[in-house]
Amino acid sequence: MKKNTNKTQEITSAIIQELNGEGETKKQKRNVWQVIQIPALAILTGLIIGAILIAVTSETVYAAFAQSFWKGWAQIGTEVGTAYLALFNGSIANPGAIVAAFKSGDQAAIRSALNPFLESLVQATPYIFAGLAAALGFRAGLFNIGVEGQLFIGGIFATYVGYSITTLPAYIHAPLAFLAGALGGALWGVVPGLLKATTGGNEVINCIMMNYIAYRLTTWLLTGPMTRPGMAGMPLSPMIQKTAEIPQFFKSPIRFHLGFFIALLFAFIVWWILFKTTWGLNLRLVGANPRAAKYAGLNIAKTTIIGMALSGALAGMAGANEVLAVNHSMATSLSSGYGFDSIALALLGNNHPVGVVLAALLFGALKNGATKMMVVSSIPIDIVTILQALILIFVAAPAIIRAIYHLRDSKVQTQEIHLSSWGGNSK
C-alpha cells in the first residue's frame, strides 16, 4: 500500500512538473515551428482542397476543358485566383483601394477601405469569447458543448439590464449589463457542472438539454415578457439604452467596437489564471488526470463546478457582446453557431488562449470574406464552411498531415483531455 501511495505521489509530482513546464529539457525547449506546423499545414491543405472544390464545381472550367487542355487549366487558375482574391479583399482589405484612399486624403474613403479588416475583427470577437469558454472547459477536463445556450442566456441577461435600467451613467450601465451577461452564462453553465460533480451526470448530455431549454426560454421571453412593444409578438426585445451600449469607434457602416479589446483582455486573464496561478495549475491537473489530482488532495467537485461556471461566464460574455456592441437588442438569431464553432476554435488553438485568439481571427476573416467571394466569383458561401470543416479535420487528425507532408512524429505533446463523462464518474 505504501509503495502504491509513493508511486501515486511520484506520478502526481511528474504531472505538476509537466504542467508547469518543468519536465524534460527536450520538452521544455519547444520549437515554435513544431507547435504551429500542424495548424499551419492544416490551413494550407484546406485551402488546396477548397481550390479543387472550386474547380470541379465550376461550369466555366468544364467549358474551357472542352476547348483545350491548357485553356482548362488556365480557367482553373482564373477561378481559384478570383475566388481567393475576393476572399482576401473581403476579409482583410484591397491594397489598391487602401493606397488610393490614403492618396486622396478622404476620411470616408479611408474608413471604407479599412472596413473589411475592421469587420473581420467584429466577426472574430464573439468567436474569441466562445473559444475561450470551450478551451477553459477542456483544460478542466470538461466537454462544455453548452456554449451556445449559455451565450443566449448571457444575451438575455445583458438585454434586460440594458433596457430596463434608465438612470445609470454609461460608465456604470454598460459594464453592469456586460457582467450581467457573464452572470447569466455562469448560472447556465454551473448546472451541468453541479450535476457532474454531485451525481456523476454526463455533462455533454446535460449541456445539450440546457441548450434546448435556453432556446425555448429565449423564444418565450422575446414573444412575451421581453417583447418589443408594437412588434405584434415578433421575437425581438426592446432596444437597450444608449448608456448600456459598448461604444463603437467609427460612424456607420463601420461597426468596430471596444468589445474586441475587451475580448483580448479576457484572453489575457484566462491565460494568467491557467498558467500563472495555483488555482489554474490545480484546474489543469484535474483536467489532465483527476485520479492523481484526487490523491494530491485537490477538491475535484469544487474545481469541476467552478470550471464550468467560468466557462459559462465567458460564453455569456459572447452573447452580451453581440447585444451591447453590435445589435443593441436581443433576437432569436443572436448567434450564427458561435457556440458550436467554439469547439473547433479550441481544438485549432490547442486549448491555449493565444491559439484561440488566432483561430478566432481566422474564422472571423473567413466568415467576413465569404460574402465578398460569393458576390464577386459566384462561389457558394458554403465553400467557406467546408474550408473550416477541412481545417478542423486535419487539426484533429495530425497523422494525416504528417503522412501528406512526410513529417516526423513531433515530440511536442498536446494536452490530453480527460473526459471522464464518456466513461463514467471521475470521483
Side-chain angles (χ1 to χ4, degrees):
M1 182 67 180
K2 186 175 182 180
K3 288 183 178 180
N4 291 337
T5 302
N6 291 337
K7 187 65 175 176
T8 302
Q9 291 175 346
E10 290 176 6
I11 294 173
T12 303
S13 178
I15 293 173
I16 292 174
Q17 289 180 356
E18 178 65 23
L19 291 174
N20 273 328
E22 298 171 358
E24 299 175 4
T25 304
K26 290 183 179 179
K27 291 182 180 179
Q28 189 177 16
K29 297 180 178 179
R30 293 181 176 179
N31 185 279
V32 175
W33 169 241
Q34 287 180 324
V35 174
I36 68 171
Q37 65 178 351
I38 296 299
L41 291 175
I43 294 170
L44 175 62
T45 308
L47 291 174
I48 292 172
I49 297 179
I52 295 172
L53 290 175
I54 291 172
V56 300
T57 56
S58 173
E59 295 181 0
T60 57
V61 169
Y62 291 106
F65 269 113
Q67 298 179 20
S68 74
F69 179 79
W70 297 113
K71 284 186 177 180
W73 279 103
Q75 187 62 33
I76 288 176
T78 301
E79 290 286 328
V80 173
T82 301
Y84 281 168
L85 181 61
L87 181 65
F88 178 84
N89 290 342
S91 60
I92 306 299
N94 185 330
I98 291 178
V99 172
F102 275 98
K103 282 184 177 180
S104 69
D106 186 352
Q107 295 296 320
I110 293 173
R111 289 196 298 268
S112 178
L114 294 176
N115 190 38
F117 173 71
L118 296 176
E119 184 62 25
S120 292
L121 298 184
V122 172
Q123 298 288 349
T125 302
Y127 279 129
I128 295 175
F129 284 117
L132 289 173
L136 183 63
F138 281 142
R139 286 286 180 176
L142 300 165
F143 200 156
N144 183 8
I145 202 171
V147 172
E148 188 80 354
Q150 294 150 18
L151 184 152
F152 270 88
I153 297 301
I156 283 290
F157 272 57
T159 301
Y160 181 76
V161 173
Y163 78 77
S164 64
I165 300 177
T166 60
T167 57
L168 291 177
Y171 63 87
I172 295 178
H173 196 184
L176 182 63
F178 186 79
L179 292 177
L183 176 63
L187 291 175
W188 215 249
V190 80
V191 174
L194 185 63
L195 290 173
K196 179 178 176 63
T198 57
T199 69
N202 188 309
E203 79 271 18
V204 176
I205 296 175
N206 290 328
C207 283
I208 293 174
M209 295 300 101
M210 294 296 288
N211 281 344
Y212 280 112
I213 296 172
Y215 301 151
R216 299 297 173 256
L217 178 61
T218 299
T219 302
W220 175 74
L221 287 172
L222 294 181
T223 54
M226 290 179 62
T227 191
R228 184 183 300 181
M231 294 301 294
M234 289 287 290
L236 193 64
S237 76
M239 297 292 290
I240 63 172
Q241 302 293 322
K242 288 290 184 182
T243 52
E245 294 180 5
I246 292 177
Q248 298 181 353
F249 294 114
F250 306 100
K251 296 179 180 180
S252 182
I254 299 178
R255 304 190 300 169
F256 185 56
H257 53 78
L258 184 62
F260 175 74
F261 297 104
I262 297 174
L264 294 183
L265 173 62
F266 275 95
F268 172 78
I269 291 173
V270 171
W271 170 82
W272 182 79
I273 290 174
L274 286 176
F275 300 105
K276 296 297 180 180
T277 67
T278 302
W279 186 84
L281 173 62
N282 293 340
L283 181 139
R284 289 184 289 131
L285 177 57
V286 169
N289 195 321
R291 289 186 177 88
K294 183 178 180 180
Y295 278 109
L298 300 181
N299 190 327
I300 307 299
K302 181 179 178 181
T303 303
T304 298
I305 295 171
I306 296 176
M308 276 298 292
L310 291 178
S311 179
L314 289 165
M317 291 178 193
N321 173 84
E322 290 302 279
V323 169
L324 304 179
V326 180
N327 301 327
H328 300 153
S329 66
M330 179 74 183
T332 52
S333 59
L334 176 69
S335 172
S336 58
Y338 296 123
F340 300 112
D341 290 341
S342 66
I343 299 170
L345 292 167
L347 292 175
L348 185 57
N350 199 24
N351 299 322
H352 193 286
V354 175
V356 167
V357 170
L358 295 177
L361 292 174
L362 171 65
F363 272 47
L366 289 174
K367 182 178 180 181
N368 187 41
T371 304
K372 179 78 172 179
M373 185 179 74
M374 182 179 65
V375 171
V376 171
S377 60
S378 300
I379 301 297
I381 197 170
D382 298 315
I383 290 292
V384 170
T385 304
I386 294 173
L387 283 177
Q388 292 174 334
L390 288 170
I391 291 169
L392 176 60
I393 289 172
F394 291 130
V395 169
I400 299 176
I401 294 296
R402 293 195 182 100
I404 293 173
Y405 295 98
H406 303 288
L407 300 175
R408 291 182 179 181
D409 192 0
S410 173
K411 297 295 183 181
V412 176
Q413 301 293 325
T414 57
Q415 183 200 20
E416 187 174 326
I417 303 168
H418 184 97
L419 296 177
S420 58
S421 60
W422 292 103
N425 190 1
S426 63
K427 295 190 297 180

